[in-house]
Amino acid sequence: MPQHEVIPEKLTLFQRIGHSIFPGKLRPVIDRQGYRRFFNTLILHFRPRRVPERTLRFTLTWGLGGMSVVLVSMLFGTGVLLKFVYEPLPGKAYESILYLQRHVLFGQLIRNIHHWSGNGLIIVAFLHFLRVFFTNAFHSPRQFNWIIGLGLFFVVLCSNLTGYLMPRDQLAFWAVTICTGMLEYVPAAGPWLQNLLRGGPEVGPATLSNFYAVHTALLPALLIILMPFHFWRVRKAGGLVIPRTPEEDAEIRGESVETMPNLILREVVVALVLFAFILVFSMLFNAPLESQANPGLSPNPTKAPWYFVGIQEMLMHFHPLFAFLIIPVLIIVALLSLPYIDYQAHTAGVWFTSFKGRRTALIAALAATIATPLGILADEYIIDFAAWMHGVPASISNGLIPFALVLAAIAGFYIMIKRRYSLTNNEAIQAIFVLFLTAFLILTVTGIWFRGAGMRLMWPL
Amino acid sequence: MPKPQKQHCNDHPGEGSSRRSFLNKLWIGLGIVAVIEFIGIVTAFLRPRKTKAKAGDFGTIIEAGPVEKIPLDSVTAFVRGRFYLARLEDGGFLALSRKCTHLGCTVPWVSGEKKFICPCHSSAFDIRGEVISPPAPRALDIYHVFIENNIVKVETGRRIKRTEFRAEHVTYPKKRIDRITG
């Protein structure tokens, strides 16, 4: 690298300031190349100097990981601003939100950006999770990064839930009452954990200070630790998974190009477009705010935040022990062990595993799209195990029996599809994943739009 | 890091090694004790704090009124006490928690249907707090009711959980008991 000697007398004022911050006798010749090198070594700590050209394709990543980072930064920025106005006391919280919206210049806009970025982050991070799954980017050496990613998603969900309580309006109060109410069904530790989270037997002043501390200190700190860990593992895995068609050799990495400007430029474009989108969206749509929380009056219907409505919908059909504990724990365990299963085929980088995988995924999606609404309707109007089996405890009649039936149906589907299409376990597991995913999405949609007063089924019009 | 250390110990057995391993174990042991202490301090720090309750507030003994002023087969809401005082047709009293046993929503008394109907997941309870329709898994929690000088009082400090309604949950005024025994 060409360098020249620094002669203090010849420096301009700005160069002198710079020299006092970064002292040294030699300086690289400052030109475009020099800046770029400086940028590459200092700013791009988490990035390799060069990246495989094929991983730059937008249809590999859809920019989802980068979008998550942009949203997190926007949340940090607006969150710090909100902290200056918000008061985390039950009597004051709601008033301070009203003050923010009515009397603080751009207050409503900042709150909207924070609200929509937070909700958007769940969607974007979830799509990122799906992208990684469907491009099979969780196989070795990316196994542990899948786990970190799930951890990050959990932190994002917790951030959203704790933030949900902050305005302390009716929506916030009852959604949090329901969500923390679910903890009561965790055997042994549940009531203790619930008491700890709420800071007492009911959602009250202590709950707000607990959630505020968790929302503004604990979870942001976790994000700051986990995010670089996540990126570092991407770099350690040799960058992103190389996209390929099923016939292509996985070993071919193809051409490499300079990270700066090829990758950085693309990321900046995605970031700016997303930023503009959130800004316009926040100008058009206000974050919801209902009347102040009233512990004596549950609104009808009371729903959990939309990302937990799928679980709430399950509560309509299964005993809480199964809906809130056994089924979610089984799903979490399955997701955590997913990268460590012994797979028959190397499919990293292939969208939907294979051509056969594409077809079976579609079949699974269709099967779930038909079976889930039918199941919901049947459970609502026909099936009533509790009444049919009088005297049997509810955890069996409303829990174990429907759970066993659903499990048997899924096992039957797995065996059927595996034999019928003679699938590898990669494709069969993908089909089951799609089955669960579609069912969960349908449960969520049902809970959000098809449940009216008294949580009865209704047509959303 | 531990690997080369082990090799070192194997290379030079004798005086230093047992002391070193003892000190290492001591450090690890002390570290574990310190971690346990920190966890203990944090959980103690986060333990729910107790708030002072004023007379008539939730958590104290609340006077609901004279026996004869409360009509038979009725439900009266005590907002500050967070309970319902139910009087059954036979004159017995029950103090029911207003929290649904499903997820803790506040259940309103729908007098037209003579039911408590939860707005969150449409669980329903009868006047005795017994579950009429799920998903609620248990009958409504109760508070201890006692009658002193013909005044009905409810002890809201302790919520009593129960799976189903039983006759002993009901408190009867003295007269009725006299009638039965006498």
Side-chain angles (χ1 to χ4, degrees):
Chain A
M1 191 191 301
Q3 291 187 316
H4 64 81
E5 225 169 303
V6 177
I7 304 154
E9 291 75 34
K10 280 192 180 173
L11 297 177
T12 63
L13 177 65
F14 293 115
Q15 284 171 332
R16 268 185 216 190
I17 294 171
H19 187 249
S20 84
I21 297 170
F22 302 107
K25 281 187 183 149
L26 289 173
R27 275 292 134 92
V29 181
I30 300 298
D31 56 3
R32 245 184 123 76
Q33 280 289 310
Y35 274 125
R36 193 159 282 174
R37 205 164 283 131
F38 175 72
F39 191 79
N40 275 345
T41 49
L42 185 77
I43 310 292
L44 289 179
H45 252 72
F46 291 108
R47 291 295 163 72
R49 296 269 300 273
R50 298 174 72 79
V51 286
E53 196 184 2
R54 295 159 76 188
T55 62
L56 293 178
R57 221 178 283 160
F58 187 68
T59 50
L60 169 66
T61 62
W62 303 91
L64 290 163
M67 283 191 208
S68 305
V69 179
V70 173
L71 288 173
V72 168
S73 348
M74 286 169 74
L75 283 163
F76 271 90
T78 48
V80 169
L81 285 178
L82 290 173
K83 254 175 104 96
F84 285 102
V85 181
Y86 179 71
E87 292 176 87
L89 298 165
K92 298 248 179 113
Y94 186 73
E95 277 174 37
S96 68
I97 297 287
L98 285 184
Y99 177 79
L100 173 85
Q101 296 191 162
R102 289 179 188 161
H103 301 294
V104 179
L105 199 58
F106 296 123
Q108 175 84 62
L109 182 70
I110 296 295
R111 177 166 181 249
N112 290 352
I113 294 175
H114 196 75
H115 180 88
W116 296 124
S117 304
N119 284 286
L121 182 58
I122 292 189
I123 299 172
V124 169
F126 189 70
L127 290 176
H128 179 61
F129 157 82
L130 293 185
R131 192 283 291 175
V132 171
F133 178 82
F134 286 121
T135 52
N136 287 282
F138 56 87
H139 294 293
S140 172
R142 296 182 180 79
Q143 290 161 320
F144 190 66
N145 216 13
W146 169 263
I147 309 282
I148 303 170
L150 289 177
L152 273 166
F153 191 67
F154 178 73
V155 172
V156 167
L157 276 181
C158 288
S159 298
N160 264 276
L161 178 67
T162 49
Y164 210 85
L165 180 65
M166 297 294 112
R168 238 191 113 78
D169 57 349
Q170 277 289 71
L171 200 66
F173 184 89
W174 290 105
V176 170
T177 300
I178 287 188
C179 287
T180 49
M182 294 180 193
L183 282 175
E184 211 168 309
Y185 295 102
V186 178
W192 175 83
L193 198 65
Q194 184 191 53
N195 224 20
L196 188 77
L197 272 182
R198 286 183 178 174
E202 281 174 39
V203 176
T207 319
L208 193 60
S209 25
N210 281 359
F211 275 38
Y212 182 70
V214 171
H215 184 73
T216 60
L218 198 62
L219 295 174
L222 270 176
L223 275 183
I224 290 173
I225 294 166
L226 283 178
M227 278 170 49
F229 197 12
H230 199 56
F231 308 151
W232 177 71
R233 291 292 310 209
V234 172
R235 186 168 175 184
K236 281 284 148 185
L240 300 178
V241 74
I242 310 268
R244 62 188 175 99
T245 56
E247 305 88 23
E248 277 178 305
D249 187 0
E251 297 305 312
I252 301 169
R253 284 182 68 83
E255 290 280 300
S256 274
V257 291
E258 290 274 341
T259 301
M260 173 77 190
N262 295 296
L263 175 60
I264 302 297
L265 199 68
R266 283 167 165 84
E267 286 178 331
V268 170
V269 168
V270 169
L272 288 178
V273 169
L274 178 66
F275 186 73
F277 176 77
I278 294 280
L279 207 62
V280 171
F281 196 87
S282 300
M283 287 192 266
L284 294 177
F285 301 100
N286 281 343
L289 187 70
E290 291 186 6
S291 55
Q292 190 159 9
N294 177 359
L297 180 76
S298 300
N300 190 356
T302 295
K303 290 182 184 177
W306 62 267
Y307 34 88
F308 286 139
V309 161
I311 297 178
Q312 199 187 359
E313 179 63 29
M314 280 211 296
L315 275 168
M316 305 289 297
H317 307 289
F318 295 98
H319 186 270
L321 187 66
F322 283 84
F324 182 61
L325 190 71
I326 295 178
I327 296 173
V329 164
L330 284 179
I331 289 175
I332 289 168
V333 168
L335 285 176
L336 287 175
S337 51
L338 197 67
Y340 298 101
I341 297 171
D342 206 4
Y343 287 101
Q344 291 168 341
H346 294 286
T347 52
V350 185
W351 270 99
F352 300 106
T353 308
S354 63
F355 290 123
K356 219 192 278 171
R358 246 169 246 204
R359 254 179 77 197
T360 45
L362 198 66
I363 291 169
L366 281 175
T369 315
I370 296 165
T372 318
L374 284 180
I376 293 172
L377 286 171
D379 190 43
E380 189 85 2
Y381 298 114
I382 305 165
I383 302 169
D384 191 355
F385 289 115
W388 294 347
M389 287 178 284
H390 207 70
V392 179
S395 57
I396 292 177
S397 66
N398 252 338
L400 190 63
I401 290 174
F403 175 70
L405 284 177
V406 171
L407 211 61
I410 292 166
F413 178 81
Y414 179 84
I415 293 165
M416 188 275 291
I417 203 162
K418 203 164 179 210
R419 286 222 185 117
R420 173 96 167 66
Y421 296 93
S422 56
L423 300 179
T424 59
N425 65 349
N426 308 49
E427 292 151 341
I429 286 168
Q430 181 184 260
I432 295 299
F433 180 91
V434 171
L435 199 69
F436 271 91
L437 174 73
T438 317
F440 179 73
L441 291 179
I442 287 174
L443 285 175
T444 305
V445 166
T446 309
I448 297 175
W449 287 296
F450 291 82
R451 290 274 175 199
M455 293 303 276
R456 271 179 285 272
L457 278 182
M458 52 131 212
W459 197 250
L461 275 175
Chain B
M1 279 308 271
K3 234 181 183 173
Q5 230 170 32
K6 245 185 195 167
Q7 274 174 351
H8 180 78
C9 289
N10 290 341
D11 289 347
H12 308 279
E15 37 178 39
S17 64
S18 73
R19 189 194 295 159
R20 172 170 291 172
S21 75
F22 170 71
L23 285 175
N24 276 345
K25 276 174 195 155
L26 195 68
W27 274 117
I28 292 167
L30 282 175
I32 291 169
V33 169
V35 166
I36 290 170
E37 274 177 355
F38 286 136
I39 291 172
I41 289 170
V42 169
T43 39
F45 181 85
L46 291 178
R47 257 236 310 267
R49 27 256 169 216
K50 282 201 174 119
T51 44
K52 282 180 205 155
K54 281 177 275 175
D57 268 356
F58 181 67
T60 60
I61 291 172
I62 291 174
E63 291 189 11
V67 170
E68 58 277 2
K69 282 233 171 138
I70 300 160
L72 293 180
D73 195 22
S74 74
V75 171
T76 322
F78 288 78
V79 177
R80 279 176 72 197
R82 302 183 195 169
F83 68 88
Y84 290 105
L85 188 69
R87 190 158 194 201
L88 309 181
E89 274 179 326
D90 61 0
F93 289 99
L94 261 174
L96 300 165
S97 160
R98 66 180 186 181
K99 276 173 76 175
C100 179
T101 52
H102 183 225
L103 288 175
C105 289
T106 299
V107 281
W109 171 250
V110 183
S111 49
E113 293 182 48
K114 291 213 165 288
K115 277 180 197 169
F116 294 98
I117 299 177
C118 182
C120 297
H121 297 87
S122 59
S123 300
F125 308 86
D126 67 7
I127 193 169
R128 301 167 301 165
E130 185 83 310
V131 181
I132 304 174
S133 61
R138 306 182 281 111
L140 289 175
D141 295 340
I142 51 171
Y143 297 103
H144 178 55
V145 181
F146 56 101
I147 297 163
E148 264 180 5
N149 302 326
N150 214 35
I151 305 260
V152 183
K153 294 180 179 177
V154 178
E155 195 189 331
T156 57
R158 199 166 56 89
R159 205 168 67 220
I160 303 158
K161 289 187 177 180
R162 55 177 187 166
T163 48
E164 58 194 352
F165 171 80
R166 281 203 302 272
E168 68 248 36
H169 296 150
V170 188
T171 308
Y172 290 100
K174 270 259 162 56
K175 273 180 208 157
R176 190 192 141 86
I177 297 168
D178 288 345
R179 221 184 295 144
I180 292 168
T181 50

